[in-house]
Amino acid sequence: MEEKQVEEIAEARATLSYARISSRKVKIVADLMRGKKVDEAMQIAKFAPKASSEILEKLLKSAIANAENNHFMNKENLYVAEIYANQGPTLKRIRPAAKGSAVRIRKRTSHITIVLRESK
């Protein structure tokens, strides 16, 4: 029996849980950042005129810091391997409406994850 060598790919990740923004809004900027080098992704996050760009910029900085300090990776070789936003729990609120009725307001949350890898 041959033993197959499974090469361990070094990756650094940063996760933000319960972000008070809809995952749909986050995915717009996340799709632009996926597959890009870290510097280019940082520019996209900094200058995209979207609500989620500030959150993604902070999370990307955290992922870079994790890569440098915990996994001893070189910042120049990093790229955004995976970035995704999943739906979190929805906060349900009630707003008064006409004729004594009520309308439900859904305040959506999301869980955002960024995974960085080193290019060879």
Side-chain angles (χ1 to χ4, degrees):
M1 282 267 189
E2 281 184 39
E3 278 190 44
K4 291 185 179 180
Q5 290 285 334
V6 179
E7 188 176 319
E8 191 71 26
I9 299 170
E11 61 181 33
R13 61 177 59 226
T15 306
L16 173 64
S17 296
Y18 307 106
R20 256 299 287 123
I21 188 166
S22 169
S23 63
R24 201 170 153 184
K25 293 178 182 177
V26 176
K27 287 176 185 177
I28 295 169
V29 181
D31 289 343
L32 294 173
M33 294 169 63
R34 189 175 293 111
K36 301 282 194 298
K37 289 218 159 265
V38 166
D39 296 330
E40 194 177 344
M42 185 65 78
Q43 295 302 315
I44 291 168
K46 190 181 283 294
F47 296 112
K50 294 289 179 186
S52 64
S53 58
E54 188 178 340
I55 296 166
L56 287 172
E57 182 185 357
K58 276 179 94 170
L59 194 61
L60 183 60
K61 284 180 182 177
S62 175
I64 293 167
N66 289 343
E68 289 179 328
N69 297 317
N70 300 342
H71 302 285
F72 308 106
M73 296 176 171
N74 189 2
K75 183 181 176 183
E76 282 74 43
N77 300 335
L78 292 176
Y79 71 98
V80 180
E82 298 173 36
I83 179 168
Y84 50 90
N86 297 325
Q87 188 174 341
T90 302
L91 305 172
K92 294 174 178 75
R93 301 291 179 259
I94 292 175
R95 180 174 188 269
K99 298 182 181 176
S101 64
V103 175
R104 176 166 282 169
I105 294 175
R106 291 180 298 280
K107 296 184 177 231
R108 306 204 185 263
T109 63
S110 57
H111 305 311
I112 310 166
T113 304
I114 296 180
V115 178
L116 302 180
R117 290 197 185 109
E118 262 187 321
S119 58
K120 292 175 171 72

